[in-house]
Amino acid sequence: MSLAKLKGKKNLAVLLILVTMFTVGCQTKAIDGNETDIVAKVNDTEISTVFYNKHLNLFKKNYEDMYGDKVWTLDVGGKTFLQAVQENVLEKLINDEVVIQYFAEKKVKVEDKEIEKQYAEYMERMNEQEDAKKFLEENGIDESFIKSQIKTDMYMMKFQEEVMKEVDVADGALKKYYDEHIDDYRDVQVKASHILVDTEKEAKDILAKIKAGEDFGELAKKHSKDPGSGSQGGDLGYFPRGVMVPEFEEVAFSMKNGEVSEPVKSSFGYHIIKVMDKKDEIKKFEEVKEMIKRDFMEKALMDKYDKIKENFDIKKFPENIQ
């Protein structure tokens, strides 16, 4: 169980790019050309619902391993996290297919021997992970699927390399951007501890003990349902806005140092929050230089996608996504 939420379409897109290597690519030709069996079409290439669902299942497992199964109902900009992931998986698969066709037009190919080499290395790692191997088998993720995704990943690497050559990421350009957007690098964070329980009554009983003088950290170790922070006396460390679930964050950032909250309800249960410290400072250029560089690359990739997609006939069928 985790308090952390994933915020905004931009960050979702970044996370989707970073998930396991083989979760990219598209499958051509839907069953009998039936549009109820496809989620998108890029020129004459169809992305099937079966193929889409395999990708979605991979992403779902990855997120549940990190955040637990309650993550899907979290609100991210007026939609559930599940809806946001579904939309981003579809957009990613379309972008991948656009890149494949883009390189086909340029007559750029990847080598079969390199695909075989990467597949062998991948299977060697997978054979040591029985649970992961079982998951792939249960979801029909077979040799053909994995090889096709390795191939697509190689095309995506070529695409990124091409874009990198077009982007000025020299220190001078990065510093200029930093100076022009200095407020974007203001670091406002709260250091807090919390005790998480299932019911409001439990929370009120524990709060009464805190007010009576009992130690917050010891009560957290004894009662908190959050396995990550409970054993640490409830300590969540420092966190900025946009990281915790909204109900928790709103209260934590409104409190003073040393203050203990009344019970706060969220999708995880009831929290008692204690603010330990607050900080507000501008991050130095050297601290954020790599982040600015990543932002430059992300924007350049999105701009390149948008530019080349103008020459493609793209149709989406989101109603076929369950």
Side-chain angles (χ1 to χ4, degrees):
M1 183 182 299
S2 172
L3 282 172
K5 77 182 182 78
L6 302 176
K7 62 169 184 173
K9 188 172 181 179
K10 176 181 174 183
N11 284 351
L12 284 170
V14 176
L15 283 166
L16 292 175
I17 287 171
L18 296 176
V19 178
T20 41
M21 177 184 70
F22 51 83
T23 56
V24 293
C26 291
Q27 174 171 296
T28 61
K29 301 299 180 185
I31 302 170
D32 298 327
N34 188 339
E35 288 189 349
T36 62
D37 295 321
I38 64 177
V39 294
K41 191 172 183 180
V42 181
N43 290 338
D44 294 327
T45 298
E46 297 170 342
I47 304 173
S48 76
T49 54
V50 172
F51 193 71
Y52 170 88
N53 285 330
K54 289 180 181 181
H55 283 279
L56 182 62
N57 287 339
L58 285 164
F59 281 109
K60 287 176 71 176
K61 176 172 173 52
N62 208 294
Y63 283 121
E64 286 182 6
D65 286 347
M66 290 189 291
Y67 301 105
D69 58 8
K70 288 187 177 181
V71 68
W72 304 114
T73 58
L74 293 179
D75 178 80
V76 284
K79 64 184 72 172
T80 66
F81 183 64
L82 176 59
Q83 291 171 324
V85 170
Q86 287 173 326
E87 292 174 6
N88 277 276
V89 170
L90 177 59
E91 195 64 32
K92 179 165 175 54
L93 293 180
I94 289 170
N95 286 343
D96 291 339
E97 180 57 32
V98 165
V99 169
I100 291 171
Q101 294 188 32
Y102 168 75
F103 280 117
E105 291 175 1
K106 298 177 71 171
K107 301 188 185 305
V108 175
K109 297 181 179 181
V110 298
E111 297 292 333
D112 288 343
K113 62 180 181 181
E114 184 59 30
I115 296 172
E116 293 295 336
K117 177 185 176 183
Q118 290 196 23
Y119 176 73
E121 293 173 352
Y122 170 77
M123 289 308 300
E124 184 177 350
R125 295 193 303 272
M126 191 56 58
N127 286 332
E128 298 174 357
Q129 303 175 43
E130 287 300 322
D131 288 345
K133 189 176 179 181
K134 181 181 178 182
F135 173 84
L136 297 183
E137 291 172 353
E138 290 175 348
N139 286 274
I141 300 171
D142 56 14
E143 178 179 344
S144 175
F145 179 95
I146 296 170
K147 284 184 177 179
S148 73
Q149 306 333 302
I150 291 173
K151 182 177 182 178
T152 304
D153 186 65
M154 293 170 69
Y155 277 119
M156 296 302 293
M157 291 298 294
K158 288 181 180 293
F159 185 70
Q160 290 180 36
E161 289 168 2
E162 181 176 301
V163 173
M164 283 182 70
K165 294 177 182 177
E166 302 171 358
V167 182
D168 183 4
V169 291
D171 282 4
L174 300 179
K175 182 62 164 61
K176 182 175 183 292
Y177 182 89
Y178 170 83
D179 291 338
E180 292 172 350
H181 300 82
I182 192 72
D183 283 341
D184 292 347
Y185 303 101
R186 181 175 295 278
D187 184 20
V188 180
Q189 295 194 43
V190 167
K191 182 179 182 183
S193 295
H194 83 134
I195 300 172
L196 174 65
V197 293
D198 293 327
T199 69
E200 186 176 15
K201 183 180 183 306
E202 288 177 279
K204 287 183 175 180
D205 289 344
I206 293 170
L207 183 59
K209 292 179 180 180
I210 295 170
K211 290 180 177 180
E214 292 194 37
D215 184 74
F216 189 99
E218 291 304 316
L219 288 169
K221 291 178 182 179
K222 184 176 180 180
H223 298 286
S224 184
K225 304 293 184 182
D226 183 351
S229 69
S231 62
Q232 305 299 316
D235 185 13
L236 295 166
Y238 284 97
F239 52 87
R241 288 188 180 275
V243 172
M244 301 301 182
V245 291
E247 304 90 342
F248 185 99
E249 180 179 288
E250 182 179 353
V251 173
F253 276 86
S254 68
M255 294 167 61
K256 299 176 182 178
N257 286 354
E259 191 174 357
V260 177
S261 74
E262 294 295 315
V264 176
K265 184 180 180 181
S266 79
S267 57
F268 294 104
Y270 289 84
H271 312 264
I272 302 168
I273 306 167
K274 183 174 182 179
V275 169
M276 313 302 290
D277 190 21
K278 287 187 172 183
K279 64 179 180 180
D280 182 352
E281 57 191 25
I282 297 291
K283 291 184 178 179
K284 296 179 180 179
F285 171 69
E286 289 301 325
E287 293 179 281
V288 297
K289 183 171 72 173
E290 290 304 313
M291 181 173 69
I292 296 173
K293 186 181 295 186
R294 288 194 299 271
D295 287 347
F296 265 41
M297 284 306 307
E298 181 190 340
K299 184 179 184 304
L301 283 169
M302 294 302 108
D303 289 347
K304 185 77 170 185
Y305 280 135
D306 291 342
K307 181 178 180 181
I308 64 177
K309 282 163 73 173
E310 292 175 359
N311 301 316
F312 286 79
D313 180 22
I314 298 172
K315 294 184 176 67
K316 301 178 185 180
F317 305 95
E319 65 275 12
N320 296 336
I321 296 174
Q322 297 180 354

